[in-house]
Amino acid sequence: QVQLVESGGGLVQAGGSLRLSCAASGSISSIYAMGWYRQAPGKQRELVAIFFGGGGRNYADYVKGRFTISRDNAKNTVYLEMNSLLPEDTAVYYCYLRTSPLDNYWGQGTQVTVSS
């Protein structure tokens, strides 16, 4: 079974930075998409940034210019560099992996807390 291991979350002051990492392991024949979602208390999970298998990437409007997603294909690892963090960015950040049109996986989540 595929597993995703996230790291890098924590507490940071507004305006600060964090770098999240997500490493995928297991039987992975291909990566259709890999990236990050987040869920704040009382809200639905939402897309933050994602890579697609062909190399394209997409960002949520509220993080454009502040967050950068990158990946190491050889290591099946994706990163999210978060700069100029705002209290509104406080959420649990989940790594996401899609390996086929029907197979998707989620990490357990890492807490990001931004204090004002």
Side-chain angles (χ1 to χ4, degrees):
Q1 182 75 313
V2 174
Q3 291 189 339
L4 303 174
V5 179
E6 301 137 318
S7 63
L11 175 65
V12 66
Q13 295 287 323
S17 300
L18 286 172
R19 189 171 191 248
L20 307 182
S21 299
C22 174
S25 62
S27 182
I28 303 172
S29 59
S30 63
I31 296 178
Y32 279 49
M34 190 173 184
W36 296 91
Y37 287 71
R38 72 185 187 186
Q39 187 168 20
K43 296 184 178 180
Q44 293 185 337
R45 192 171 299 185
E46 61 185 3
L47 175 70
V48 178
I50 194 164
F51 265 113
F52 298 103
R57 58 189 182 274
N58 191 27
Y59 294 92
D61 287 341
Y62 52 82
V63 304
K64 288 181 179 178
R66 298 191 297 124
F67 293 6
T68 302
I69 189 170
S70 60
R71 65 180 179 181
D72 185 333
N73 290 334
K75 297 180 179 180
N76 288 332
T77 299
V78 66
Y79 306 92
L80 184 68
E81 183 177 352
M82 304 184 293
N83 300 312
S84 301
L85 282 162
L86 302 168
E88 304 93 272
D89 295 317
T90 296
V92 177
Y93 285 69
Y94 295 92
C95 185
Y96 172 82
L97 171 66
R98 196 168 194 92
T99 59
S100 80
L102 297 176
D103 298 319
N104 59 281
Y105 304 90
W106 294 94
Q108 69 179 54
T110 183
Q111 177 70 47
V112 172
T113 302
V114 184
S115 62
S116 60

